[in-house]
Amino acid sequence: MLRSVGQTRVTRSGEDPRAAELRAAVSRLRRELAGHPAEFGDRAIAEDELAVLAAMVAAGDPEVRRMRRSLLLIAGAVGSVSALSPALMQVRAAVDLFAELPRPAGPAPCGPGAGPGPAAPGDFPGTWRHDDPSGP
């Protein structure tokens, strides 16, 4: 079956599978963070941002920019705790599921770095730069 752009798959329970994945990842990291014996200064920040992610999923309308901000704050808070890395990576992967959009077919986008063009300002094929000693 073909799906239109913007449509998402739905699980048997009627839930977006991306939301289910994010819910599971957030839950896992919350459990592992709660069970981690070491205290570190930014634990409260990580817990607060995990609560924000959980609330967004529960509301059914997660905002990608806000999820990425929460992920950045969580990573900054627990990034130095290697025992939490696998669970943190699972949250990252789940957030990334929301950001993946189908790429349109057709020509490459315009803009810096989008294709052939001048290597530096004033470097156009067939032109001479005034500071080039090999010029006319």
Side-chain angles (χ1 to χ4, degrees), residues 43-106:
R43 179 186 288 260
I45 293 170
E47 291 169 346
D48 289 347
E49 292 303 319
L50 285 166
V52 167
L53 285 175
M56 278 193 276
V57 173
D61 191 23
E63 181 187 336
V64 175
R65 277 187 116 160
R66 183 60 178 105
M67 288 191 301
R68 289 197 177 278
R69 180 182 181 278
S70 290
L71 179 61
L72 181 61
L73 290 169
I74 294 165
V78 303
S80 64
V81 183
S82 61
L84 300 174
S85 292
L88 178 61
M89 292 308 296
Q90 186 181 3
V91 171
R92 178 183 179 213
V95 168
D96 285 346
L97 292 174
F98 285 89
E100 292 177 359
L101 298 175
R103 296 201 171 163

